[in-house]
Amino acid sequence: MKLFDSHTHYYDQKFAEKYPGGAAGAIADSFAAGICGFLCAGTNPDTTKAAVALAETYENAYASAGLHPEDTATYSKAQLPEVLCKIERWLDHPKVAAIGEIGLDYYWDPDRSVQKEAFDMQLSIAEAKHLPVIVHDRDAHGDTMDILRAHKNVIGVLHSYSGSAEMAREYVRMGWYISFGGPLTYKNAEKVRAACAAVPPDRLLIETDCPYLPPVPHRGEINTSALMIYTLEAMAACKNLFPQVLAAQTIENACRLFSIHLL
C-alpha cells in the first residue's frame, strides 16, 4: 500500500545518532516499505533550510517553513519580525507546500504571549501568501481555536491531533483537516480514537512526526514513515474502512490541501 507521510522531521539529529544509515537510511527503508512521499516540517530558520534541502533531494518530498512554539523561547517579541522574515524567504520555493509547524504549546510553556504573537503573525503571512498551515496544539486547545477563528481565510491541518471529537467536528466545519499519528495506536488513547472516528474520511491525513511518537508495537524506537502502516490500521478500525481505501483517501487529501502532485 502507498501512503503519504504528511508530517516528518527527517533532519532531526536522532536519525544520525540512532538509525542505521541515518536519515537517508530511514527514508530509503520507508520508500522500500511503500511510502510514496513525505512532507518535512520546519520549526525554525535552520530546520526549515534543512527541510527544504531534503525536499530537493527526494522525489515526492516536500517541505514546510515555520517557527514552532517551542522555538519561540529563543526570541523576544521584538525579534520575531526578523526571524519570520528569514523563514518567509523560503515560501516561494517550489517544494515548500505550507507554513508550519506553527501553533501553541502550553506543556513546555515558553512565554505564551510570544507564542501567540508568532502564531498570529505566521497566520497573517499564510493569508497573504495563500498557503495552508500546519498547526501544533499541545494543551492549548481553546486558545488555538480562538486564534484560528480570527483568521477565517486560512485553512490547514491540525497535526498529531489530541483534542476532543467535538472540537474536531468544529474544525471540519471551518474547512480544516485533521491528522493522526502513532498515538492513535496507544492503549489509553480512547479520546484520540473518538476524535478520529468523528472526522470525515475526506478531511483525514496520516503522519508519523518522526523520529517521535512511534506506533505500537514499536514504542521506544526511532519512528520512520515505514511504521505508518500501524497507524493506518488503527485509523481504518476507527473509520470502519478498508486500509487500502483509507490509504488512497489520505493521499488524495494531502495532495488537495498542499496543492502537490505525486509522481
Side-chain angles (χ1 to χ4, degrees), residues 219-256:
R219 293 193 74 175
E221 301 176 19
I222 293 292
N223 199 9
T224 75
S225 303
L227 301 182
M228 203 160 49
I229 184 66
Y230 298 101
T231 302
L232 176 68
E233 291 170 351
M235 185 180 285
C238 289
K239 302 304 297 177
N240 196 27
L241 291 170
F242 289 114
Q244 296 90 334
V245 172
L246 200 51
Q249 181 69 70
T250 57
I251 292 173
E252 179 183 328
N253 297 347
C255 290
R256 183 190 317 118

Side-chain angles (χ1 to χ4, degrees), residues 205-220:
L205 297 184
I206 190 167
E207 64 169 88
T208 58
D209 201 19
C210 67
Y212 307 101
L213 302 178
V216 173
H218 293 278
R219 293 193 74 175

Side-chain angles (χ1 to χ4, degrees), residues 32-60:
I35 300 304
C36 64
F38 62 88
L39 186 146
C40 193
T43 59
N44 59 47
D46 291 336
T47 59
T48 291
K49 181 179 180 179
V52 173
L54 282 164
E56 291 175 335
T57 301
Y58 295 95
E59 189 172 81
N60 288 347

